[in-house]
Amino acid sequence: MAKKSFDQLIQESKKPVFVDFWAAWCGPCTTVSPMIKRLAEEFHETLTVVKINVDEQPEVAAKYQVQGIPALMLFDKGMIKWRATGALPYEHIRAEVIKSLGE
């Protein structure tokens, strides 16, 4: 099966897509990473979670106007429903996901 482009993924996914834009050299990204993993585990039935390395995919970061990292976004049917920049506490991220999912 061919690898889907990021745009295909966010538009065609049956579930909302949570995206973590990050880079290996980013300290706050390292702080957020375990939280993103926890989010993926907790919401695996209702959410697709992906990580985009901004150094490896700068065109995706540019398209979605990522100004700082970590940049967190929640897409539903290709539309951004929520976005934030910086290392947020897990409970804040989780609350925003729940609100966006309408749970």
Side-chain angles (χ1 to χ4, degrees), residues 29-41:
C29 297
T30 305
T31 302
V32 168
S33 188
M35 293 183 231
I36 303 307
K37 184 177 183 198
R38 181 176 166 194
L39 190 76
E41 291 167 357

Side-chain angles (χ1 to χ4, degrees), residues 56-73:
E56 294 173 2
Q57 298 186 52
E59 68 288 345
V60 176
K63 180 174 181 178
Y64 293 97
Q65 300 171 349
V66 173
Q67 301 288 320
I69 53 175
L72 309 173
M73 296 184 198

Side-chain angles (χ1 to χ4, degrees), residues 4-20:
K4 286 187 177 187
S5 75
F6 179 74
D7 286 337
Q8 285 175 309
L9 173 69
I10 63 169
Q11 291 169 10
E12 297 173 6
S13 178
K14 303 270 188 260
K15 302 186 271 187
V17 180
F18 186 93
V19 184
D20 173 19

Side-chain angles (χ1 to χ4, degrees):
M1 185 171 137
K3 186 176 178 184
K4 286 187 177 187
S5 75
F6 179 74
D7 286 337
Q8 285 175 309
L9 173 69
I10 63 169
Q11 291 169 10
E12 297 173 6
S13 178
K14 303 270 188 260
K15 302 186 271 187
V17 180
F18 186 93
V19 184
D20 173 19
F21 289 91
W22 69 285
W25 49 264
C26 167
C29 297
T30 305
T31 302
V32 168
S33 188
M35 293 183 231
I36 303 307
K37 184 177 183 198
R38 181 176 166 194
L39 190 76
E41 291 167 357
E42 183 175 350
F43 292 94
H44 71 275
E45 292 181 10
T46 55
L47 195 65
T48 298
V49 177
V50 297
K51 293 174 71 78
I52 300 288
N53 185 318
V54 297
D55 290 332
E56 294 173 2
Q57 298 186 52
E59 68 288 345
V60 176
K63 180 174 181 178
Y64 293 97
Q65 300 171 349
V66 173
Q67 301 288 320
I69 53 175
L72 309 173
M73 296 184 198
L74 183 64
F75 292 86
D76 191 15
K77 297 176 182 65
M79 303 296 292
I80 298 172
K81 291 190 75 171
W82 175 79
R83 72 184 293 158
T85 303
L88 301 172
Y90 180 75
E91 291 306 319
H92 181 88
I93 298 169
R94 184 179 184 275
E96 290 295 340
V97 166
I98 289 170
K99 186 167 68 174
S100 294
L101 293 175
E103 293 184 1

